[in-house]
């Protein structure tokens, strides 16, 4: 998909008009995150009568915003790449395409503290050229100052090796990415300066824990598949508006009934139909899409849905922590940057989206795989981040911090560690009329917005395929009194 194609306003990928397979069928979608939104819209476009149930008072799942001292703050920093075609398609379907910065050519400053007292920070760039992939990264990596010349040359061996990894082979999921990198001659310095720079924010685990299959998917799809695959975009408005508010309007236009603030307690199969049990009473449906995190799915999905169901809890969670800093002046010209040899991982200028006016600048410092930070006090995290950021951006020392806060997502993603693939079920279950969605399901991606959207589309496709295979499937289900 070309950048121009993303701006045309044509039919969004994954949301093509369907036949009338689902006409008149009552479908309940449990969960109002990106997976549930995608599934609900897709089923509604197939003619289904859809009710979406969300326990929160808002939509958007783990992508949300809140007000703090007059500015809009996102709970975490969510960017997307040009290769995220399903997510880009959802933006178009929601009417959010006008609210994003479309992916810019990959050019990330990677900043390390000064190598000598009084010296300037050391700045490298991960930048693509106009050459075809994978040669588009060659010039940038050969000049990368955070590695020795020999380490830079050895990067090529691992990049070539990634092209041969069969991500669908169970053996690729049984080893960690770090083990595989060692077998390709990658030093610890190379892991820290290149491989973990990408693995940690995308898989939400370090290479020492991440499954080879999960990490290889990220690098092959996001960096090596095509020249512009890793071009990065982001929202220019708060996430709550980009996803939640826009989704509410899009669902209403599609005829989806949204029940927010509704907790689903259980699902029950009765006389060939489903009952969705809530505190306000049961809801009857021909089919149900469960689009909630794996622990919640394990609570409400009846036994026998999938072979891995008894072990879903083993997927666990990995945390993300963000430290939000507002300065009285600009301290960096970069919209996005990464830290190296520093506690700082990634830094985003969120001034525009938050409504912070010049001369002030609002930076969000994002920490992935941040379980160890969960027990730290916010004031300690702010102080540590401020000190570390000052080593990367000299203007921080001259600026005055006018506001700060810390957000913690304890259950940000499942853990795509070695051995996790066999625990991730597909969209169709062994129970008739019951389907699963969510970034934790078998999407072929780690826990990303793209994976979440893909899962919702896959669940809707599986539901439609099931309906086509059972033409006598009941379509006159009424809401159970």
């Amino acid at each position: 998909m070309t950048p121009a194609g993303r701006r045309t306003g044509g039919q969004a990928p994954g949301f093509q008009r369907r036949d009338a397979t689902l006409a008149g069928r009552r479908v309940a979608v449990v969960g109002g995150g990106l997976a549930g939104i995608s599934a609900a819209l897709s089923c509604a476009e197939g003619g289904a009568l859809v009710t979406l149930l969300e326990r929160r008072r808002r939509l958007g799942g783990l992508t949300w915003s809140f007000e703090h001292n007059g500015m809009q703050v996102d709970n975490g920093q969510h960017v997307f790449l040009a290769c995220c075609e399903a997510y880009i398609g959802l933006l178009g379907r929601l009417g959010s395409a006008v609210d994003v910065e479309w992916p810019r050519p990959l050019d990330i400053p990677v900043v390390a503290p000064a190598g000598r007292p009084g010296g300037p920070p050391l700045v490298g760039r991960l930048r693509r050229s106009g050459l075809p992939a994978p040669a588009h990264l060659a010039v940038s990596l050969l000049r990368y100052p955070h590695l020795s010349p020999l380490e830079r040359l050895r990067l090529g061996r691992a990049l070539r090796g990634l092209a041969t990894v069969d991500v669908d082979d169970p053996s690729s999921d049984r080893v960690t990415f770090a083990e595989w990198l060692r077998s390709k001659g990658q030093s610890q310095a190379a892991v820290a300066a290149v491989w973990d720079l990408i693995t940690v924010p995308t898989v939400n685990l370090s290479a020492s824990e991440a499954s080879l299959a999960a990490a290889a998917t990220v690098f092959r799809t996001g960096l090596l598949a095509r020249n512009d695959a890793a071009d990065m975009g982001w929202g220019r408005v708060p996430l709550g508006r980009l996803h939640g508010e826009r989704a509410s309007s899009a669902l209403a236009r599609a005829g989806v009934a949204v029940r927010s603030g509704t907790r689903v307690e259980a699902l029950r199969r009765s006389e060939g139909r489903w009952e969705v049990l809530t505190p306000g009473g049961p809801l009857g449906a021909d089919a149900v899409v469960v689009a909630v995190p794996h622990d919640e799915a394990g609570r409400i999905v009846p036994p026998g849905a999938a072979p891995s169901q008894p072990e879903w809890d083993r997927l666990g969670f990995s945390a993300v922590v963000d430290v939000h800093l507002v300065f009285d002046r600009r301290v960096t010209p970069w919209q996005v940057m990464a830290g190296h040899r520093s506690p700082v991982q990634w830094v985003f200028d969120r001034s525009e989206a938050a409504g912070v006016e010049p001369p002030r600048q609002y930076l969000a410092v994002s920490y992935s795989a941040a379980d160890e930070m969960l027990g730290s006090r916010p004031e300690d995290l702010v102080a540590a981040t401020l000190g570390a950021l000052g080593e990367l951006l000299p203007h921080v020392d001259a600026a005055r911090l006018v506001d700060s806060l810390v957000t913690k997502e304890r259950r940000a993603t499942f853990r795509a560690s070695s051995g996790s693939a066999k625990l991730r079920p597909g969209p169709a279950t062994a129970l008739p009329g019951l389907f699963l969605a969510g970034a934790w399901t078998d999407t072929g991606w780690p826990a990303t917005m793209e994976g979440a959207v893909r899962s919702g589309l896959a669940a809707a496709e599986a539901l439609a395929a099931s309906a086509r295979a059972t033409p006598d499937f009941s379509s006159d289900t009424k809401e159970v009194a």
Side-chain angles (χ1 to χ4, degrees):
M1 183 183 302
T2 64
R6 289 195 294 267
R7 295 171 172 80
T8 61
Q11 193 72 34
F15 292 100
Q16 289 80 12
R17 177 62 58 185
R18 303 171 186 277
D19 58 28
T21 301
L22 298 180
R25 309 293 173 84
R26 292 190 180 274
V27 176
V29 176
V30 182
L34 298 185
I37 292 167
S38 300
L41 287 171
S42 195
C43 288
E45 290 179 349
L49 305 174
V50 182
T51 299
L52 185 150
L53 304 100
E54 167 56 48
R55 63 181 176 83
R56 303 177 181 90
R57 294 289 179 183
R58 56 170 177 80
L59 299 178
L62 289 173
T63 64
W64 56 285
S65 310
F66 60 95
E67 185 175 345
H68 170 80
N69 291 344
M71 66 178 184
Q72 291 295 315
V73 176
D74 293 338
N75 69 310
Q77 305 319 302
H78 298 269
V79 300
F80 65 97
L81 305 182
C83 62
C84 296
E85 296 188 351
Y87 174 73
I88 290 171
L90 178 63
L91 291 177
R93 182 64 182 82
L94 298 183
S96 295
V98 297
D99 295 324
V100 299
E101 184 70 38
W102 285 101
R104 300 176 177 181
L106 178 69
D107 186 2
I108 304 296
V110 183
V111 188
R116 54 182 175 79
L122 181 61
V123 180
R125 313 288 288 221
L126 284 181
R127 173 188 292 158
R128 75 164 173 89
S129 69
L131 295 173
H136 65 314
L137 300 173
V139 173
S140 172
L141 293 177
L142 287 173
R143 294 176 177 174
Y144 198 56
H146 302 307
L147 294 177
S148 70
L150 179 59
E151 287 169 327
R152 295 175 211 164
L153 290 173
R154 286 179 174 171
L155 289 174
R157 180 185 176 192
L159 287 169
R160 290 190 297 272
L162 283 171
T164 67
V165 173
D166 183 354
V167 296
D168 295 320
D169 186 335
S171 65
S172 298
D173 186 60
R174 288 196 288 265
V175 299
T176 67
F177 190 35
E179 290 171 329
W180 184 87
L181 288 171
R182 282 196 295 271
S183 75
K184 300 301 178 184
Q186 302 302 291
S187 65
Q188 278 299 112
V191 172
V194 175
W195 303 108
D196 262 349
L197 195 73
I198 306 300
T199 304
V200 170
T202 54
V203 184
N204 206 17
L205 291 174
S206 66
S208 62
E209 290 190 75
S211 154
L212 167 60
T217 296
V218 168
F219 282 92
R220 287 174 56 171
T221 306
L223 283 176
L224 304 177
R226 66 181 202 237
N227 173 283
D228 68 341
D231 291 357
M232 185 181 294
W234 53 84
R236 292 189 287 106
V237 299
L239 288 171
R241 186 186 312 165
L242 186 70
H243 295 155
E245 293 178 16
R246 297 287 193 184
S248 294
S249 298
L251 290 165
R253 291 193 300 271
V256 176
V258 176
R259 294 189 179 184
S260 58
T262 300
R263 176 182 171 83
V264 173
E265 298 175 331
L267 302 176
R268 182 171 62 202
R269 185 80 171 162
S270 176
E271 298 181 354
R273 297 167 179 167
W274 284 99
E275 294 180 4
V276 182
L277 306 181
T278 74
L283 172 75
D286 296 315
V288 179
V289 177
V290 176
V292 296
H294 58 83
D295 61 333
E296 191 173 349
R299 177 180 62 80
I300 66 174
V301 171
S308 63
Q309 186 174 358
E311 298 183 283
W312 286 350
D313 281 346
R314 287 180 51 199
L315 284 169
F317 290 98
S318 187
V320 171
V321 171
D322 280 76
V323 177
H324 308 261
L325 307 172
V326 181
F327 297 97
D328 67 343
R329 68 196 73 182
R330 292 192 65 82
V331 297
T332 177
W334 296 317
Q335 186 76 42
V336 182
M337 61 166 277
H340 176 54
R341 295 202 308 271
S342 167
V344 169
Q345 292 181 9
W346 285 78
V347 182
F348 302 88
D349 182 350
R350 297 298 291 160
S351 304
E352 179 185 7
V356 173
E357 302 263 344
R360 293 186 174 187
Q361 186 174 33
Y362 160 36
L363 301 182
V365 182
S366 186
Y367 298 96
S368 300
D371 291 11
E372 294 183 357
M373 302 176 73
L374 292 176
S376 298
R377 298 185 303 172
E379 56 267 35
D380 293 337
L381 291 174
V382 168
T385 299
L386 195 60
L389 194 61
E391 295 183 331
L392 306 180
L393 300 173
H395 292 300
V396 166
D397 292 337
R400 180 172 62 89
L401 185 68
V402 298
D403 200 359
S404 65
L405 73 152
V406 173
T407 55
K408 300 178 180 180
E409 282 291 351
R410 298 175 180 272
R411 296 156 27 106
T413 68
F414 78 93
R415 303 180 73 86
S417 54
S418 56
S420 62
K422 65 181 180 181
L423 305 178
R424 302 174 67 183
T429 75
L431 302 178
L434 181 64
F435 303 87
L436 300 174
W440 65 279
T441 61
D442 186 10
T443 66
W445 286 62
T448 59
M449 296 189 297
E450 175 72 4
V453 175
R454 284 174 177 255
S455 76
L457 299 177
E461 291 286 358
L463 195 162
S466 177
R468 285 191 292 269
T470 55
D472 59 343
F473 192 62
S474 174
S475 62
D476 60 351
T477 301
K478 306 297 183 184
E479 185 167 325
V480 179

